Amino acid sequence: METLEEIKARIEAAVSGAQLEILANDSPSGQRSLLVDDNHALTVAMFLRNDPGLQLDYCSNVTGVDWPDKVEKIKTKVKKVVDGAEQEVEETIEKMTPGFLEAVYHLYSMSLKHGPAILRLRTENRTDKVHLPSLTPVWRGAEFQEREIFDLYGIVFDGHPDLRRILMWDGFKDHPMRKDYVEPDDYEYEPTPHAEVLEKARAHLPQPQPKEASA
Amino acid sequence: MIDEGLKSELSKQGIFTTTFNELIEWGYNKGRANSVWPLQFGLACCAIEMIAASMARYDIARFGSEVFRPSPRQADLMIVAGTVTKKMAPQVVRLYNQMPEPKYVIAMGACAISGGPFKQGYNVLKGIDRYIPVDVHIPGCPPRPEALLHALMTLQKKIEEQHLTGPQQARHLNPEAPSEFPVPEYGEHDLVPPKNEAVWQPPKQAKDDTQGNV
């Protein structure tokens, strides 16, 4: 298969206005991926599937990733005038990187026997702007997996033919795979509580009665 | 009524005494205990062991329980074989409610009795005994077919010891005792209610493992 740079250049030539970015991967696998903007995702996906040199006709896996808001503390030394004398004071600035949700598509070619090419789509934030274009019209196999991401991460796929929860029931409100999900508290009986479970179970233990002061 | 001491003395001399009630009870319970028809449903890997128990090698037919019924209305025994997810729990309770009395429940495997390896998950019920009364619990992950047969024999013993009359009367003969239990509903975050307090309550004894096993 062509390198990711070549694919990127060819997409840019074929789909005007598409904003693409190659994301590095520091893990041992070193599989890099292609970040695609929401507006051109469907056209880019069509190109990847139909291009005679790529023919990425098989979407093997779609998965979600939750990137919560990240707060970094950056220490800087600032010169300030304290009590008439100039001094170097250390200041801490909190830099907040807003979080987002991500859908990752792994694409292979059955006819040319190559792959994977990895596509990533990102939402604007984790709260209200969680819409992404559905790629189910391009790869039908993505249907259930996009439903699963909708269920567990809360990404809304526009253009999906049947977007309902798939694992949890319909009235369920939470998205359990998000990092900030709080599970229901049913730790009232733990035969062998330990570590985190002990902390949760402790809230259900009968509180020790305060000893009455004997007169 | 014959005095218990005299009865025992007579039996040593080879004289068997009984009452009409005892004889009826013995025959009735023996008959019931040896044709316990289970409801045919499995939820996870435990079901594979249940199927193995029903096949030739372990042969649950030796205990009169080979007739797995596909309808709850023809079943006496519910073998809860596997993980009960919160999405599945209302259906399990509904099936139990549809079974005619007398009915019994075997909770098979770690998941059915406590949630097992998934008990800290958000989507698994921590034991089916939170919603329906369980007669026999089988530990194991999954339990071997022998364990299921042992549970069945334990249940048979329990059935044989049930009384038709008197203060120790069996549950199913008591019109006051409930034979149906409320089906939990799907809530926004969890099942509502998360447990049936009338059926299950956490043990009174507190387990605070602060002595260093952390």
Side-chain angles (χ1 to χ4, degrees), chain A residues 23-33 118 120:
Chain A
L23 297 178
N25 185 344
D26 298 333
S27 74
S29 74
Q31 278 187 328
R32 296 180 303 161
S33 48
I118 302 163
R120 284 174 194 261

Side-chain angles (χ1 to χ4, degrees), chain A residues 35-61:
Chain A
L35 181 66
V36 188
D37 66 311
D38 300 357
N39 295 332
H40 298 88
L42 205 60
T43 338
V44 169
M46 281 302 229
F47 172 80
L48 291 176
R49 193 191 66 178
N50 296 337
D51 182 73
L54 288 168
Q55 292 188 43
L56 295 164
D57 49 14
Y58 174 54
C59 176
S60 83
N61 183 37

Side-chain angles (χ1 to χ4, degrees), chain B residues 5 9 52 76 98 118 130 182 209:
Chain B
E9 201 60 41
D76 308 305
Q98 290 175 359
F118 313 110
R130 286 179 178 237
D209 206 348

